[in-house]
Amino acid sequence: MARDCSKNTSNDIDLGNNKISALVNGASAISMFAWFYADSYDTGVNDNRLLGVRIGTNQTGITICIDGSGASKLIRAGGRSGTGDGFQARSGTSNVTTGAWHNGGGVLNIGGDTITPYFEGAAENSGAVTFGNATYTNGTPDNTEAVGADVGNPAVTPPMWDGRIAEVAVWTSDIGVVGFATLNKGYSPLFVHPETLVFYMPLFGNYSPEIDIISGITGTIEGTVAKADHPRIIYPSAPQMRRFTTAAVPEAAAQIS
């Protein structure tokens, strides 16, 4: 089962301060991914956030969202390499419809100064950006990270997600076309570069808080974020689960196995 978010500033999935940002510190490339089912979109270029992570004061570190600014709604990946950067982002090219399950994310190649959005297994509109550092250099984040919002306890609704979210994952590497194609086929992120997978929250809706089964980050349910139908995903066997996941969260691993 997934989680069903709404554009209500009292409702989100709060990951806590400096959680994912600390995990990706020092990475020269970062990949992000999620499955999602939108009910509606706001119209800002950086609205409709699936994942919001801060690197410093009022500064987004990494994010995936849907660019709602045009007639076509586009997957968008963005972030910074450090607090001295301006926000860097690129949008894809395929229209992301409401009322259906989709998947996507992106790669911030910090060392190579590129961002590549991915939608349903394909790279879209990859291109050059300007990162100030060669690796992700964490600052002092000033607010909580969140799934389905810009940051925890958001003050405004447009950046919030309206619809279902599942299978949110972050890697400290470029998982590439093969990795995203594998995820698009319905394989769990555990099958894709598990050696650099640092965050994976399936969002089954069975636990509150939700649990990241790799690093043990908890997702506190603020207000009401209901349980909802999950996309069909292929998970590892029980022995593989014990190899891939941390012993700190056996109950979450047990849900999959």
Side-chain angles (χ1 to χ4, degrees):
M1 307 300 279
R3 285 284 183 175
D4 194 359
C5 300
S6 62
K7 287 185 180 288
N8 182 322
T9 56
S10 297
N11 303 331
D12 67 7
I13 304 171
D14 187 334
L15 304 180
N17 181 275
N18 197 28
K19 299 298 185 178
I20 296 176
S21 196
L23 292 175
V24 299
N25 186 48
S28 60
I30 300 167
S31 299
M32 303 169 283
F33 175 81
W35 280 87
F36 48 89
Y37 182 115
D39 294 328
S40 69
Y41 294 124
D42 273 288
T43 58
V45 67
N46 294 312
D47 286 345
N48 314 300
R49 300 211 178 187
L50 294 156
L51 177 67
V53 174
R54 281 197 175 172
I55 194 171
T57 302
N58 293 322
Q59 292 179 308
T60 296
I62 62 172
T63 189
I64 44 177
C65 65
I66 300 298
D67 175 355
S69 63
S72 293
K73 312 307 176 185
L74 311 172
I75 192 75
R76 185 167 172 86
R80 291 176 169 84
S81 68
T83 57
D85 282 0
F87 182 66
Q88 308 293 308
R90 293 186 69 87
S91 297
T93 56
S94 295
N95 184 42
V96 185
T97 61
T98 58
W101 278 107
H102 300 289
N103 68 81
V107 176
L108 309 186
N109 186 336
I110 296 170
D113 286 318
T114 63
I115 292 179
T116 305
Y118 278 86
F119 179 65
E120 297 191 338
E124 297 190 344
N125 195 33
S126 178
V129 296
T130 303
F131 290 118
N133 302 314
T135 62
Y136 186 93
T137 306
N138 197 17
T140 305
D142 67 334
N143 209 324
T144 58
E145 302 169 351
V147 171
D150 181 12
V151 291
N153 302 312
V156 293
T157 59
M160 301 188 73
W161 183 257
D162 183 20
R164 284 166 263 178
I165 306 177
E167 303 291 312
V168 182
V170 178
W171 294 258
T172 53
S173 69
D174 180 350
I175 66 171
V177 173
V178 172
F180 281 98
T182 300
L183 296 166
N184 182 55
K185 292 176 182 176
Y187 284 91
S188 162
L190 293 169
F191 287 108
V192 177
H193 288 275
E195 74 284 359
T196 60
L197 181 63
V198 295
F199 176 86
Y200 173 36
M201 190 169 279
L203 293 171
F204 289 124
N206 294 328
Y207 286 102
S208 183
E210 290 283 357
I211 302 169
D212 152 37
I213 66 174
I214 299 299
S215 299
I217 295 172
T218 56
T220 301
I221 305 302
E222 302 280 356
T224 301
V225 186
K227 183 176 179 177
D229 291 341
H230 205 85
R232 296 189 65 176
I233 303 297
I234 302 164
Y235 295 108
S237 65
Q240 287 176 309
M241 283 298 303
R242 287 192 290 271
R243 178 165 61 89
F244 286 147
T245 62
T246 174
V249 284
E251 68 276 19
Q255 288 189 87
I256 296 178
S257 62

